[in-house]
Amino acid sequence: MADKRRVVVLGTGGAGLTAAIIAHDAGAKVKVFEKADRIGGTTAWSGGMVWIPNNHLEAEAGVPDSREEALTYLMSLSHGLIERHLAEAFLDAGPMMVRYLNEHTPANFRAIPDFPDYHAEFPGGKTGGGRSLDTPPFSFLELGKWADRVTPSPYYPDPRLSIYDTPLGQAQPQPVPLEELERRSANQERASGQALIGRLLKGCLDRGIKPRTGCRAVELAMRKGRVRGIVIETADGRRTIKADAVILCTGGFEWDEELKRAFLRGPMTHPVSISTNTGDGLRMAMRAGAMLGNMREAWWMPVAEVPREQISTGVTLVAGMRSLPRSIMVNRKGRRFTNESANYNAFGAAFHEQDVSAFDYANLPCWMLFDQGYIDTYGFPLAGTPRGLPPPQWVTSAPTLLQLADRLGIPAAALETTVARWNAQVAAGADDDFHRGEAAHDRWWGDHGQRGSSAASLGPLDRGPYYAVELKSGSLGTKGGPKVDVNANVLDIDGHPIEGLYAAGNVMSSPMGMTYGGAGGTIAPGMVFGFLAGRHAAGSPVFD
Ligand SMILES: Cc1cc2nc3c(=O)[nH]c(=O)nc-3n(C[C@H](O)[C@H](O)[C@H](O)COP(=O)(O)OP(=O)(O)OC[C@H]3O[C@@H](n4cnc5c(N)ncnc54)[C@H](O)[C@@H]3O)c2cc1C
């Protein structure tokens, strides 16, 4: 019998752990190295959702879908950046991966009802959900001594809550009955990204794969143009691990200023990912002669700075609360500039818009404004302040719009005109300027009590005091890197596969281009290309 192929996986996010499990099951001998001192990467900090069109759970839930519809949808969002053959590989392998992980690992995905695609009105889009999946809460008792080795999420102060309880980034948590919370506590259950990573880690441990932390990969060992191993740096120095294949799953380069300056299409000052994602995989691939793709792009996200006592990273994601009635966003001219309810990824474009005459970014800085009616109805979700209580001191406030404009240093007359126009549009029931509240996305993410109608997102600003929070251009991670083929094999600058080198997740040139298909749109391609890489690296490719 031929020797088992030696496969090294770098990084322990969703892409890495999936690649490890699959390579093992396809017959390889697998080692996993992680730079951080804990396991899980940004994936462990996330909502843990995956967006896999045409999956079997969607079919079981009675949602009609097809490869053709999903391909039409993705290509309609491409703007020339999505390569059709990679989108097809994602759509073909995605359902296979979900079925495989559900049947052979503790992953146990389930369909999230009703969660619409982020551009559901585009051809092939789904307004009624089905493509977004997550995993149920997972008991960390099952991980034994490995339970404490998973990196906890700074964004989920209560790890027991899942997307069903408090949709991440959404404004209105669903109360979980106390008995259920107590049951989850007693059982040490964690939800969302913690559950996804906990389950994948259990899948690894069941197979005897024990990720090694504090191990930073720094250099590929190459001979005659192919990968022979990897140099790992630890507190004890460097050593070379022999390998037939190396799968880069090292996340993006959002924490490296030089790489960001070199490649990104516009400002991205506030990443919310794990800070060990400094582009190590990208640099290794570049040294090996990889062709790069999609370098200008990231999974964009509006972000607010918060005190570190509240969230240890000092930043938080601003998603659902932008969609709630009685709030708008304005730029330094005191003008609205976009549909505030739009999906977070699409916001990157608004942040990168330039004012040609001023030779400056048109919408940076910008602020989210809201009124006392917002606070009375929804509280201040960014700080977890319940409704009725004043928002924290770090929020700018003023009794009138004129005074608020003064505090922000924006023209008061323009702000008054903007709010008056907004209030008139709300009264007429339509935002003629930016079409806020028209898309299924806006109607889902806004006020849950009004879900499905434009009232979920439209509401006047007419009750002082008035409040403002500055929003920054952030991201969940970059998504440019080495280009790959349909088996996640990295391509060189002439388009030939580099033997033994693979990439999956945010380290790779994303098959999604500038698009974020729906909730779970980033972890999904990472895991699917991790699946493809694992199979090919082990000598059992999905695609010939
Ligand atoms: C709060 C929040 C919620 C989110 N919710 C969702 C969601 O529900 N669905 C979704 O699709 N996306 C979501 N995202 C985005 C998503 O988490 C990331 O895009 C995704 O997890 C990236 O996965 P990855 O495996 O590529 O990288 P990561 O999960 O970041 O893993 C990369 C790992 O590689 C390690 N590494 C880096 N360099 C090296 C090296 N040299 N050697 C060894 N290891 C190295 C890092 O330490 C890290 O552990 C969310 C993000 C955040 C912050």
Side-chain angles (χ1 to χ4, degrees):
M1 202 173 84
D3 283 346
K4 286 187 166 198
R5 288 175 65 81
R6 296 161 303 178
V7 174
V8 166
V9 177
L10 304 175
T12 56
L17 295 186
T18 303
I21 290 171
I22 299 303
H24 171 278
D25 290 8
K29 198 169 165 211
V30 178
K31 288 184 177 156
V32 179
F33 296 100
E34 167 56 55
K35 172 181 175 181
D37 56 4
R38 297 215 213 172
I39 290 161
T42 315
T43 313
W45 291 8
S46 76
M49 292 175 273
V50 298
W51 185 78
I52 306 281
N54 201 27
N55 67 77
H56 72 283
L57 301 164
E58 189 182 8
E60 286 166 14
V63 180
D65 200 358
S66 66
R67 180 187 192 272
E68 289 66 35
E69 280 178 286
L71 188 58
T72 302
Y73 174 66
L74 282 178
M75 295 314 293
S76 76
L77 297 165
S78 164
H79 290 288
L81 294 182
I82 296 181
E83 293 182 79
R84 192 183 182 90
H85 67 287
L86 294 181
E88 287 178 325
F90 167 71
L91 294 173
D92 288 333
M96 289 167 63
M97 180 200 74
V98 170
R99 195 181 281 281
Y100 187 88
L101 291 180
N102 270 22
E103 288 175 1
H104 300 279
T105 75
N108 200 15
F109 286 106
R110 59 185 181 178
I112 304 173
D114 306 330
F115 209 143
D117 286 346
Y118 283 1
H119 301 273
E121 289 73 19
F122 274 64
K126 293 277 163 205
T127 55
R131 292 171 172 171
S132 296
L133 312 173
D134 77 346
T135 62
F138 175 68
S139 172
F140 270 47
L141 290 172
E142 293 200 36
L143 293 177
K145 65 180 169 49
W146 287 83
D148 292 337
R149 306 282 302 277
V150 174
T151 178
S153 175
Y155 305 112
Y156 266 117
D158 188 341
R160 298 169 301 181
L161 297 177
S162 82
I163 177 77
Y164 289 92
D165 310 323
T166 169
L168 187 80
Q170 292 235 334
Q172 297 160 287
Q174 311 295 302
V176 185
L178 193 60
E179 314 82 71
E180 171 60 8
L181 276 185
E182 282 172 355
R183 189 196 63 74
R184 291 187 197 173
S185 282
N187 206 23
Q188 289 186 29
E189 286 184 20
R190 298 190 202 170
S192 301
Q194 295 282 300
L196 177 59
I197 286 297
R199 289 170 181 279
L200 291 174
L201 177 58
K202 178 76 168 91
C204 286
L205 298 174
D206 288 345
R207 290 161 169 78
I209 305 167
K210 297 178 181 167
R212 285 177 230 181
T213 53
C215 292
R216 177 184 192 177
V218 287
E219 202 179 325
L220 291 159
M222 305 284 297
R223 192 148 50 89
K224 294 187 180 161
R226 62 149 302 157
V227 170
R228 295 288 175 191
I230 184 81
V231 180
I232 300 286
E233 189 176 73
T234 70
D236 300 326
R238 291 187 172 197
R239 68 199 158 104
T240 302
I241 310 289
K242 288 188 182 156
D244 301 304
V246 170
I247 307 179
L248 304 171
C249 301
T250 48
F253 57 87
E254 61 274 8
W255 286 97
D256 185 287
E257 291 305 321
E258 190 184 12
L259 291 172
K260 281 201 292 183
R261 200 167 33 246
F263 293 119
L264 290 184
R265 71 178 193 200
M268 193 269 276
T269 49
H270 287 65
V272 292
S273 62
I274 200 152
S275 62
T276 39
N277 288 349
T278 55
D280 293 353
L282 171 60
R283 286 178 193 275
M284 286 187 268
M286 285 165 79
R287 267 184 230 117
M291 180 65 185
L292 305 181
N294 217 36
M295 297 307 292
R296 39 175 267 168
E297 289 298 329
W299 308 104
W300 310 106
M301 169 62 79
V303 163
E305 291 181 349
V306 294
R308 286 189 187 269
E309 307 84 70
Q310 187 190 315
I311 294 179
S312 59
T313 54
V315 289
T316 193
L317 299 75
V318 184
M321 64 178 293
R322 284 181 288 107
S323 268
L324 292 174
R326 308 188 80 96
S327 67
I328 56 170
M329 285 171 65
V330 297
N331 59 18
R332 66 159 79 84
K333 290 185 174 165
R335 294 191 192 138
R336 290 181 69 219
F337 55 90
T338 189
N339 169 6
E340 297 87 347
S341 271
N343 78 74
Y344 38 82
N345 179 63
F347 253 85
F351 287 147
H352 297 160
E353 188 180 324
Q354 297 224 330
D355 178 334
V356 173
S357 307
F359 196 61
D360 207 347
Y361 289 100
N363 304 316
L364 289 172
C366 70
W367 296 265
M368 180 181 141
L369 307 189
F370 45 105
D371 77 346
Q372 185 60 36
Y374 183 105
I375 292 294
D376 291 342
T377 317
Y378 308 112
F380 182 61
L382 268 192
T385 313
R387 62 183 168 193
L389 291 182
Q393 291 289 323
W394 52 266
V395 174
T396 308
S397 65
T400 66
L401 281 173
L402 287 177
Q403 288 163 302
L404 189 71
D406 217 34
R407 293 211 174 140
L408 299 176
I410 61 179
L415 182 62
E416 278 204 317
T417 305
T418 296
V419 172
R421 178 167 174 77
W422 168 252
N423 289 350
Q425 288 182 324
V426 170
D431 169 17
D432 293 333
D433 294 337
F434 298 107
H435 306 285
R436 173 170 170 178
E438 291 178 13
H441 175 276
D442 307 1
R443 296 174 174 205
W444 198 87
W445 284 79
D447 185 329
H448 293 186
Q450 310 280 347
R451 195 171 263 177
S453 91
S454 61
S457 191
L458 303 186
L461 274 76
D462 58 6
R463 214 180 320 148
Y466 296 90
Y467 303 95
V469 174
E470 187 176 348
L471 299 192
K472 311 279 188 177
S473 176
S475 89
L476 306 174
T478 56
K479 54 159 139 165
K483 287 188 75 164
V484 296
D485 66 12
V486 294
N487 287 306
N489 203 171
V490 172
L491 301 173
D492 70 14
I493 50 170
D494 298 313
H496 305 303
I498 299 177
E499 218 181 312
L501 187 60
Y502 300 83
N506 289 355
V507 68
M508 71 191 281
S509 171
S510 176
M512 298 291 120
M514 64 161 67
T515 304
Y516 203 123
T522 86
I523 296 175
M527 289 180 64
V528 171
F529 278 79
F531 174 84
L532 292 167
R535 284 280 298 269
H536 195 273
S540 174
V542 172
F543 301 113
D544 293 330

